[in-house]
Amino acid sequence: MTATSSTFDIVEYYTGLINDDPSISPPVAAVGSLVRLIELQHATTMLEFMMITRSACDKLKSATHQSISLSAGCDVFLKQMSRLSHTQSVEECRAALIRAGTEFVQNAGQCRDSVAEFGSPFVQDEQTILVHSYSRVVMGLLERAVKQNKRFQVYVTESRPDQSGLRAANELIAMGVPCEVILDAAVGYVMEKVDMVLVGAEGVVESGGLINKIGTYQLAIIAQAAKKPFYALAESFKFVRLYPLSQYDLPTYRSDILAFKEKPKVDWANELARSNPTLDYTPPGFITLLFTDLGVLTPSGVSDELIKFFLD
């Protein structure tokens, strides 16, 4: 097959985009990588064109251990390709996909701004907010609230094992927001002081449930028990066609996660990060509302939006 430039490695290109721009999210980087792929490929039939693109999507998903948000970006691109393939020639489809993909990448930041716009009325003066881990879209909302001269304070979970909450705390301090990092195990301890919980999303599934950094589910359970609102923030391109019924239905599940060891001696410091899950699933019943670029949605509203997009 005379498919793509022999020197182009889509995984390497994707990794470069992520490393070069800390603000870019996996689905946006995935679409940007696929745009570059089709700029370089020279398929002569629609079947060949679609096979090359689907193979590249599979390669990206495999290389990133089935990243939920990356998969969502690939699915959006493939759906657009499928629509165009029915009515256009290979060259017309290629040109249209390049235009659509480039526009998607360029407008991704606007999606994040729209989420912040819809969510900002919920942030009020004198509130205490609890956030989990690091989320670009959550930080965008809080930055917008600061620019609106709202005064609030934030608890941030440390978010082990990568301690990504420390990055959020440093950015909040740089904004002038009073901030305190708490242990993941201290969520229940501080919950009665909190006015609301804000979390980002790796993906939002068909039921309106949430796939996000490990610890999100227990945070939602405690928030509901304490009658505190639990808000999830996500761009609509993170809506994914999954319907998990438990933690073990996620694409990232591995049988060796939290498997009992038959070893005389274990290096627990290294074993914790290797053998524990990085994501968990929060059912829709624990989510108060979702702030998205499409507006403020109830969990059931996510299903409606997915139907509109994939069955259009």
Side-chain angles (χ1 to χ4, degrees):
M1 260 195 242
T2 57
T4 64
S5 168
S6 59
T7 59
F8 183 70
D9 184 331
I10 193 166
V11 175
E12 182 180 349
Y13 190 84
Y14 167 84
T15 304
L17 291 178
I18 292 290
N19 292 338
D20 293 343
D21 183 0
S23 70
I24 196 170
S25 60
V28 177
V31 171
S33 301
L34 290 167
V35 167
R36 185 58 182 155
L37 170 80
I38 63 174
E39 285 176 339
L40 295 173
Q41 70 163 260
H42 302 288
T44 56
T45 67
M46 187 61 71
L47 177 60
E48 183 185 13
F49 181 78
M50 295 179 72
M51 286 178 62
I52 291 167
T53 309
R54 290 183 186 279
S55 175
C57 287
D58 291 340
K59 188 175 181 181
L60 274 176
K61 292 177 183 180
S62 176
T64 55
H65 306 291
Q66 300 296 324
S67 164
I68 305 295
S69 61
L70 178 144
S71 296
C74 289
D75 290 346
V76 167
F77 194 86
L78 291 174
K79 177 59 179 178
Q80 187 70 10
M81 180 179 69
S82 179
R83 285 174 176 161
L84 292 170
S85 66
H86 295 302
T87 58
Q88 301 191 35
S89 68
V90 175
E91 288 306 316
E92 289 171 333
C93 184
R94 177 186 287 113
L97 270 175
I98 291 172
R99 287 195 302 271
T102 302
E103 183 178 343
F104 175 89
V105 172
Q106 292 174 344
N107 292 339
Q110 295 178 13
C111 290
R112 203 172 294 162
D113 292 341
S114 295
V115 175
E117 181 180 356
F118 285 120
S120 61
F122 291 81
V123 179
Q124 301 294 327
D125 280 332
E126 308 304 328
Q127 282 184 331
T128 298
I129 301 169
L130 174 60
V131 303
H132 180 50
S133 185
Y134 181 87
S135 163
R136 298 176 186 86
V137 70
V138 170
M139 296 307 294
L141 169 58
L142 296 178
E143 183 178 11
R144 186 183 186 91
V146 168
K147 291 178 179 178
Q148 293 172 335
N149 297 316
K150 294 178 180 178
R151 295 167 296 172
F152 56 91
Q153 54 193 14
V154 179
Y155 284 120
V156 184
T157 59
E158 178 190 16
S159 190
R160 291 181 64 95
D162 61 3
Q163 296 183 305
S164 51
L166 303 185
R167 177 183 173 187
N170 289 332
E171 290 189 15
L172 287 166
I173 290 170
M175 294 180 204
V177 176
C179 175
E180 188 67 38
V181 176
I182 66 169
L183 295 172
D184 295 335
V187 166
Y189 184 88
V190 303
M191 190 60 73
E192 66 180 64
K193 297 182 178 182
V194 168
D195 294 297
M196 66 174 171
V197 179
L198 297 177
V199 299
E202 177 80 6
V204 182
V205 302
E206 292 182 58
S207 64
L210 185 68
I211 299 172
N212 195 41
K213 179 72 183 290
I214 189 70
T216 303
Y217 182 30
Q218 64 193 29
L219 188 58
I221 292 173
I222 296 170
Q224 187 177 81
K227 296 181 171 56
K228 304 292 184 178
F230 182 93
Y231 301 124
L233 288 71
E235 304 95 323
S236 58
F237 53 73
K238 289 185 178 178
F239 292 2
V240 293
R241 298 182 72 186
L242 295 173
Y243 205 104
L245 298 178
S246 74
Q247 306 299 328
Y248 311 106
D249 292 331
L250 302 184
T252 52
Y253 174 71
R254 306 190 323 266
S255 60
D256 63 328
I257 289 177
L258 297 180
F260 289 100
K261 313 293 186 300
E262 295 183 1
K263 300 178 182 178
K265 187 176 181 180
V266 178
D267 181 356
W268 291 112
N270 293 323
E271 188 67 19
L272 279 173
R274 191 197 70 78
S275 65
N276 273 261
T278 56
L279 302 173
D280 62 25
Y281 166 63
T282 303
F286 293 95
I287 300 169
T288 308
L289 290 169
L290 294 108
F291 303 154
T292 78
D293 52 294
L294 303 177
V296 179
L297 303 178
T298 61
S300 61
V302 174
S303 179
D304 295 336
E305 295 300 331
L306 277 167
I307 289 171
K308 286 179 188 177
F309 180 76
F310 284 101
L311 297 184
D312 184 14

